[in-house]
Amino acid sequence: MRVAIVDDNPADFGRLQEYAKRFEEESGEVIHTEIFSDGAQIAERYREKGRFDVILLDIEMKYLDGMNTAGQIRKLDEDVLIIFITNLAQFAVRGYEVGALDFVVKPVAYPA
C-alpha cells in the first residue's frame, strides 16, 4: 500500500508515519509512506510520477491548502482515498465535496 502524508508540521507527520509503521508490523501489510510538507509538493509529484492508495492530508498549509490540493488530485485520480487530518473541524463538510473518505481531528491517536 502506498500512503502519502501531507502535513507542514514535522511532529504531526512524524506521528502519522510512526502509526503507519506500527500498523504495518501488526497487520503484515507492507506500507510505503512518502512525506510532503505542502499541497503543492504532492500535486506536482502526482502529475509527474503517479498515484497513491491513501492520502492523509492536512488542510491548513502555507502554499497550497488541503482543500485545493484534494481538488487538483481528484482531477487526476478519482479512486485515491483521501483522509483529511487537521485541527480545523469546521471544514469537514467541504471535505466531502472533494470526495474525502473521512475527516480526523488532531491530535490523532492510534486506535486501541
Side-chain angles (χ1 to χ4, degrees):
M1 178 186 313
R2 296 177 45 133
V3 177
I5 300 172
V6 187
D7 198 312
D8 58 350
N9 183 323
D12 289 336
F13 69 65
R15 183 177 302 113
L16 293 172
Q17 194 169 31
E18 286 175 28
Y19 292 168
K21 287 178 186 176
R22 184 171 167 187
F23 180 76
E24 181 178 48
E25 291 169 3
E26 292 174 357
S27 69
E29 175 82 28
V30 176
I31 300 174
H32 301 281
T33 59
E34 196 167 333
I35 304 295
F36 301 90
S37 61
D38 191 77
Q41 290 176 338
I42 190 171
E44 181 66 25
R45 160 68 170 71
Y46 229 82
R47 284 188 289 275
E48 293 176 359
K49 295 186 182 177
R51 297 180 162 83
F52 291 93
D53 300 304
V54 178
I55 299 174
L56 304 176
L57 183 58
D58 189 14
I59 289 182
E60 199 172 36
M61 293 179 285
K62 186 174 181 178
Y63 298 106
L64 184 62
D65 67 57
M67 288 295 168
N68 288 315
T69 300
Q72 288 185 21
I73 288 172
R74 272 291 169 240
K75 291 176 185 175
L76 302 169
D77 186 353
E78 295 180 8
D79 298 324
V80 64
L81 300 178
I82 296 174
I83 301 171
F84 285 110
I85 300 184
T86 186
N87 53 13
L88 301 172
Q90 66 267 29
F91 288 106
V93 174
R94 275 194 63 211
Y96 297 106
E97 293 173 8
V98 292
L101 173 67
D102 205 350
F103 194 96
V104 179
V105 178
K106 292 179 183 181
V108 177
Y110 193 83

PDB file of all heavy atoms in Angstrom, residues 57 67 70 74 80-84 91-103:
ATOM      1  N   LEU A  57      -4.127  14.012   4.567  1.00  0.00           N
ATOM      2  CA  LEU A  57      -3.946  15.365   4.084  1.00  0.00           C
ATOM      3  C   LEU A  57      -4.374  16.419   5.105  1.00  0.00           C
ATOM      4  O   LEU A  57      -5.541  16.474   5.492  1.00  0.00           O
ATOM      5  CB  LEU A  57      -4.761  15.521   2.792  1.00  0.00           C
ATOM      6  CG  LEU A  57      -4.721  16.815   2.024  1.00  0.00           C
ATOM      7  CD1 LEU A  57      -3.305  17.178   1.594  1.00  0.00           C
ATOM      8  CD2 LEU A  57      -5.631  16.705   0.795  1.00  0.00           C
ATOM      9  N   MET A  67      -7.691  21.540   0.833  1.00  0.00           N
ATOM     10  CA  MET A  67      -8.906  21.501   0.013  1.00  0.00           C
ATOM     11  C   MET A  67      -8.561  21.669  -1.468  1.00  0.00           C
ATOM     12  O   MET A  67      -9.041  20.921  -2.313  1.00  0.00           O
ATOM     13  CB  MET A  67      -9.889  22.586   0.433  1.00  0.00           C
ATOM     14  CG  MET A  67     -10.561  22.327   1.736  1.00  0.00           C
ATOM     15  SD  MET A  67     -11.606  20.864   1.633  1.00  0.00           S
ATOM     16  CE  MET A  67     -11.940  20.635   3.358  1.00  0.00           C
ATOM     17  N   ALA A  70      -6.651  18.583  -2.693  1.00  0.00           N
ATOM     18  CA  ALA A  70      -7.560  17.462  -2.956  1.00  0.00           C
ATOM     19  C   ALA A  70      -8.297  17.659  -4.272  1.00  0.00           C
ATOM     20  O   ALA A  70      -8.474  16.708  -5.041  1.00  0.00           O
ATOM     21  CB  ALA A  70      -8.545  17.306  -1.805  1.00  0.00           C
ATOM     22  N   ARG A  74      -8.047  15.040  -7.296  1.00  0.00           N
ATOM     23  CA  ARG A  74      -9.273  14.385  -7.767  1.00  0.00           C
ATOM     24  C   ARG A  74      -9.400  14.456  -9.290  1.00  0.00           C
ATOM     25  O   ARG A  74      -9.943  13.549  -9.907  1.00  0.00           O
ATOM     26  CB  ARG A  74     -10.513  15.015  -7.143  1.00  0.00           C
ATOM     27  CG  ARG A  74     -10.911  14.425  -5.856  1.00  0.00           C
ATOM     28  CD  ARG A  74     -11.444  12.995  -6.046  1.00  0.00           C
ATOM     29  NE  ARG A  74     -11.568  12.410  -4.734  1.00  0.00           N
ATOM     30  CZ  ARG A  74     -10.943  11.335  -4.318  1.00  0.00           C
ATOM     31  NH1 ARG A  74     -10.141  10.675  -5.110  1.00  0.00           N
ATOM     32  NH2 ARG A  74     -11.105  10.877  -3.114  1.00  0.00           N
ATOM     33  N   VAL A  80      -8.330   7.443  -5.384  1.00  0.00           N
ATOM     34  CA  VAL A  80      -7.479   7.523  -4.202  1.00  0.00           C
ATOM     35  C   VAL A  80      -8.327   7.863  -2.972  1.00  0.00           C
ATOM     36  O   VAL A  80      -9.266   8.658  -3.044  1.00  0.00           O
ATOM     37  CB  VAL A  80      -6.348   8.550  -4.391  1.00  0.00           C
ATOM     38  CG1 VAL A  80      -6.875   9.964  -4.543  1.00  0.00           C
ATOM     39  CG2 VAL A  80      -5.352   8.463  -3.241  1.00  0.00           C
ATOM     40  N   LEU A  81      -8.003   7.221  -1.856  1.00  0.00           N
ATOM     41  CA  LEU A  81      -8.701   7.509  -0.596  1.00  0.00           C
ATOM     42  C   LEU A  81      -8.042   8.717   0.045  1.00  0.00           C
ATOM     43  O   LEU A  81      -6.852   8.691   0.356  1.00  0.00           O
ATOM     44  CB  LEU A  81      -8.623   6.308   0.348  1.00  0.00           C
ATOM     45  CG  LEU A  81      -9.235   5.017  -0.175  1.00  0.00           C
ATOM     46  CD1 LEU A  81      -9.038   3.898   0.839  1.00  0.00           C
ATOM     47  CD2 LEU A  81     -10.709   5.191  -0.496  1.00  0.00           C
ATOM     48  N   ILE A  82      -8.820   9.776   0.247  1.00  0.00           N
ATOM     49  CA  ILE A  82      -8.311  10.992   0.884  1.00  0.00           C
ATOM     50  C   ILE A  82      -8.930  11.091   2.266  1.00  0.00           C
ATOM     51  O   ILE A  82     -10.150  11.040   2.415  1.00  0.00           O
ATOM     52  CB  ILE A  82      -8.665  12.244   0.056  1.00  0.00           C
ATOM     53  CG1 ILE A  82      -7.976  12.188  -1.312  1.00  0.00           C
ATOM     54  CG2 ILE A  82      -8.265  13.512   0.826  1.00  0.00           C
ATOM     55  CD1 ILE A  82      -8.383  13.313  -2.248  1.00  0.00           C
ATOM     56  N   ILE A  83      -8.059  11.223   3.253  1.00  0.00           N
ATOM     57  CA  ILE A  83      -8.500  11.416   4.636  1.00  0.00           C
ATOM     58  C   ILE A  83      -7.883  12.709   5.127  1.00  0.00           C
ATOM     59  O   ILE A  83      -6.656  12.840   5.179  1.00  0.00           O
ATOM     60  CB  ILE A  83      -8.075  10.236   5.538  1.00  0.00           C
ATOM     61  CG1 ILE A  83      -8.680   8.931   5.001  1.00  0.00           C
ATOM     62  CG2 ILE A  83      -8.496  10.495   6.988  1.00  0.00           C
ATOM     63  CD1 ILE A  83      -8.159   7.681   5.690  1.00  0.00           C
ATOM     64  N   PHE A  84      -8.740  13.669   5.462  1.00  0.00           N
ATOM     65  CA  PHE A  84      -8.246  14.927   5.996  1.00  0.00           C
ATOM     66  C   PHE A  84      -7.905  14.738   7.460  1.00  0.00           C
ATOM     67  O   PHE A  84      -8.682  14.161   8.224  1.00  0.00           O
ATOM     68  CB  PHE A  84      -9.289  16.041   5.854  1.00  0.00           C
ATOM     69  CG  PHE A  84      -9.410  16.558   4.455  1.00  0.00           C
ATOM     70  CD1 PHE A  84     -10.533  16.298   3.708  1.00  0.00           C
ATOM     71  CD2 PHE A  84      -8.387  17.304   3.883  1.00  0.00           C
ATOM     72  CE1 PHE A  84     -10.652  16.781   2.411  1.00  0.00           C
ATOM     73  CE2 PHE A  84      -8.489  17.783   2.586  1.00  0.00           C
ATOM     74  CZ  PHE A  84      -9.628  17.519   1.850  1.00  0.00           C
ATOM     75  N   PHE A  91     -14.129  22.569   8.513  1.00  0.00           N
ATOM     76  CA  PHE A  91     -14.019  22.245   7.096  1.00  0.00           C
ATOM     77  C   PHE A  91     -14.521  20.840   6.763  1.00  0.00           C
ATOM     78  O   PHE A  91     -14.434  20.416   5.609  1.00  0.00           O
ATOM     79  CB  PHE A  91     -12.566  22.379   6.622  1.00  0.00           C
ATOM     80  CG  PHE A  91     -12.110  23.796   6.526  1.00  0.00           C
ATOM     81  CD1 PHE A  91     -11.232  24.317   7.472  1.00  0.00           C
ATOM     82  CD2 PHE A  91     -12.543  24.620   5.510  1.00  0.00           C
ATOM     83  CE1 PHE A  91     -10.801  25.622   7.399  1.00  0.00           C
ATOM     84  CE2 PHE A  91     -12.121  25.933   5.422  1.00  0.00           C
ATOM     85  CZ  PHE A  91     -11.247  26.437   6.364  1.00  0.00           C
ATOM     86  N   ALA A  92     -15.042  20.129   7.718  1.00  0.00           N
ATOM     87  CA  ALA A  92     -15.450  18.741   7.494  1.00  0.00           C
ATOM     88  C   ALA A  92     -16.429  18.607   6.336  1.00  0.00           C
ATOM     89  O   ALA A  92     -16.266  17.747   5.470  1.00  0.00           O
ATOM     90  CB  ALA A  92     -16.050  18.152   8.768  1.00  0.00           C
ATOM     91  N   VAL A  93     -17.426  19.431   6.267  1.00  0.00           N
ATOM     92  CA  VAL A  93     -18.432  19.332   5.209  1.00  0.00           C
ATOM     93  C   VAL A  93     -17.797  19.584   3.844  1.00  0.00           C
ATOM     94  O   VAL A  93     -18.055  18.859   2.886  1.00  0.00           O
ATOM     95  CB  VAL A  93     -19.599  20.299   5.465  1.00  0.00           C
ATOM     96  CG1 VAL A  93     -20.563  20.308   4.293  1.00  0.00           C
ATOM     97  CG2 VAL A  93     -20.320  19.910   6.746  1.00  0.00           C
ATOM     98  N   ARG A  94     -16.934  20.581   3.746  1.00  0.00           N
ATOM     99  CA  ARG A  94     -16.256  20.858   2.474  1.00  0.00           C
ATOM    100  C   ARG A  94     -15.384  19.686   2.030  1.00  0.00           C
ATOM    101  O   ARG A  94     -15.191  19.473   0.847  1.00  0.00           O
ATOM    102  CB  ARG A  94     -15.389  22.113   2.584  1.00  0.00           C
ATOM    103  CG  ARG A  94     -16.165  23.373   2.337  1.00  0.00           C
ATOM    104  CD  ARG A  94     -15.276  24.565   2.106  1.00  0.00           C
ATOM    105  NE  ARG A  94     -14.454  24.442   0.921  1.00  0.00           N
ATOM    106  CZ  ARG A  94     -13.248  24.990   0.809  1.00  0.00           C
ATOM    107  NH1 ARG A  94     -12.713  25.667   1.798  1.00  0.00           N
ATOM    108  NH2 ARG A  94     -12.554  24.855  -0.304  1.00  0.00           N
ATOM    109  N   GLY A  95     -14.867  18.943   2.987  1.00  0.00           N
ATOM    110  CA  GLY A  95     -14.036  17.795   2.648  1.00  0.00           C
ATOM    111  C   GLY A  95     -14.775  16.765   1.822  1.00  0.00           C
ATOM    112  O   GLY A  95     -14.202  16.123   0.949  1.00  0.00           O
ATOM    113  N   TYR A  96     -16.042  16.624   2.063  1.00  0.00           N
ATOM    114  CA  TYR A  96     -16.822  15.656   1.311  1.00  0.00           C
ATOM    115  C   TYR A  96     -17.098  16.129  -0.111  1.00  0.00           C
ATOM    116  O   TYR A  96     -17.389  15.329  -0.992  1.00  0.00           O
ATOM    117  CB  TYR A  96     -18.101  15.309   2.066  1.00  0.00           C
ATOM    118  CG  TYR A  96     -17.770  14.642   3.383  1.00  0.00           C
ATOM    119  CD1 TYR A  96     -17.907  15.302   4.587  1.00  0.00           C
ATOM    120  CD2 TYR A  96     -17.257  13.346   3.411  1.00  0.00           C
ATOM    121  CE1 TYR A  96     -17.562  14.702   5.787  1.00  0.00           C
ATOM    122  CE2 TYR A  96     -16.908  12.736   4.608  1.00  0.00           C
ATOM    123  CZ  TYR A  96     -17.067  13.422   5.790  1.00  0.00           C
ATOM    124  OH  TYR A  96     -16.715  12.812   6.967  1.00  0.00           O
ATOM    125  N   GLU A  97     -16.983  17.427  -0.360  1.00  0.00           N
ATOM    126  CA  GLU A  97     -17.155  17.958  -1.715  1.00  0.00           C
ATOM    127  C   GLU A  97     -16.057  17.459  -2.652  1.00  0.00           C
ATOM    128  O   GLU A  97     -16.257  17.406  -3.860  1.00  0.00           O
ATOM    129  CB  GLU A  97     -17.149  19.489  -1.699  1.00  0.00           C
ATOM    130  CG  GLU A  97     -18.346  20.097  -1.000  1.00  0.00           C
ATOM    131  CD  GLU A  97     -18.244  21.610  -0.853  1.00  0.00           C
ATOM    132  OE1 GLU A  97     -17.316  22.228  -1.428  1.00  0.00           O
ATOM    133  OE2 GLU A  97     -19.095  22.171  -0.158  1.00  0.00           O
ATOM    134  N   VAL A  98     -14.904  17.130  -2.120  1.00  0.00           N
ATOM    135  CA  VAL A  98     -13.798  16.608  -2.933  1.00  0.00           C
ATOM    136  C   VAL A  98     -13.656  15.096  -2.770  1.00  0.00           C
ATOM    137  O   VAL A  98     -12.627  14.523  -3.099  1.00  0.00           O
ATOM    138  CB  VAL A  98     -12.461  17.321  -2.612  1.00  0.00           C
ATOM    139  CG1 VAL A  98     -12.502  18.763  -3.066  1.00  0.00           C
ATOM    140  CG2 VAL A  98     -12.111  17.198  -1.147  1.00  0.00           C
ATOM    141  N   GLY A  99     -14.712  14.474  -2.277  1.00  0.00           N
ATOM    142  CA  GLY A  99     -14.728  13.021  -2.181  1.00  0.00           C
ATOM    143  C   GLY A  99     -13.846  12.449  -1.102  1.00  0.00           C
ATOM    144  O   GLY A  99     -13.319  11.348  -1.257  1.00  0.00           O
ATOM    145  N   ALA A 100     -13.676  13.172   0.004  1.00  0.00           N
ATOM    146  CA  ALA A 100     -12.863  12.655   1.112  1.00  0.00           C
ATOM    147  C   ALA A 100     -13.573  11.469   1.758  1.00  0.00           C
ATOM    148  O   ALA A 100     -14.797  11.465   1.894  1.00  0.00           O
ATOM    149  CB  ALA A 100     -12.615  13.742   2.139  1.00  0.00           C
ATOM    150  N   LEU A 101     -12.795  10.485   2.147  1.00  0.00           N
ATOM    151  CA  LEU A 101     -13.346   9.317   2.830  1.00  0.00           C
ATOM    152  C   LEU A 101     -13.713   9.655   4.267  1.00  0.00           C
ATOM    153  O   LEU A 101     -14.732   9.216   4.779  1.00  0.00           O
ATOM    154  CB  LEU A 101     -12.331   8.169   2.817  1.00  0.00           C
ATOM    155  CG  LEU A 101     -12.708   6.935   3.634  1.00  0.00           C
ATOM    156  CD1 LEU A 101     -13.901   6.239   3.008  1.00  0.00           C
ATOM    157  CD2 LEU A 101     -11.525   5.988   3.745  1.00  0.00           C
ATOM    158  N   ASP A 102     -12.874  10.472   4.919  1.00  0.00           N
ATOM    159  CA  ASP A 102     -13.096  10.765   6.330  1.00  0.00           C
ATOM    160  C   ASP A 102     -12.393  12.058   6.701  1.00  0.00           C
ATOM    161  O   ASP A 102     -11.629  12.622   5.917  1.00  0.00           O
ATOM    162  CB  ASP A 102     -12.555   9.611   7.189  1.00  0.00           C
ATOM    163  CG  ASP A 102     -13.239   9.507   8.546  1.00  0.00           C
ATOM    164  OD1 ASP A 102     -14.004  10.423   8.917  1.00  0.00           O
ATOM    165  OD2 ASP A 102     -13.005   8.509   9.231  1.00  0.00           O
ATOM    166  N   PHE A 103     -12.644  12.475   7.923  1.00  0.00           N
ATOM    167  CA  PHE A 103     -12.103  13.715   8.464  1.00  0.00           C
ATOM    168  C   PHE A 103     -11.734  13.439   9.911  1.00  0.00           C
ATOM    169  O   PHE A 103     -12.598  13.099  10.716  1.00  0.00           O
ATOM    170  CB  PHE A 103     -13.185  14.792   8.383  1.00  0.00           C
ATOM    171  CG  PHE A 103     -12.682  16.179   8.581  1.00  0.00           C
ATOM    172  CD1 PHE A 103     -12.384  16.966   7.486  1.00  0.00           C
ATOM    173  CD2 PHE A 103     -12.515  16.704   9.844  1.00  0.00           C
ATOM    174  CE1 PHE A 103     -11.928  18.255   7.657  1.00  0.00           C
ATOM    175  CE2 PHE A 103     -12.054  17.989  10.027  1.00  0.00           C
ATOM    176  CZ  PHE A 103     -11.764  18.765   8.928  1.00  0.00           C
TER     177      PHE A 103
END
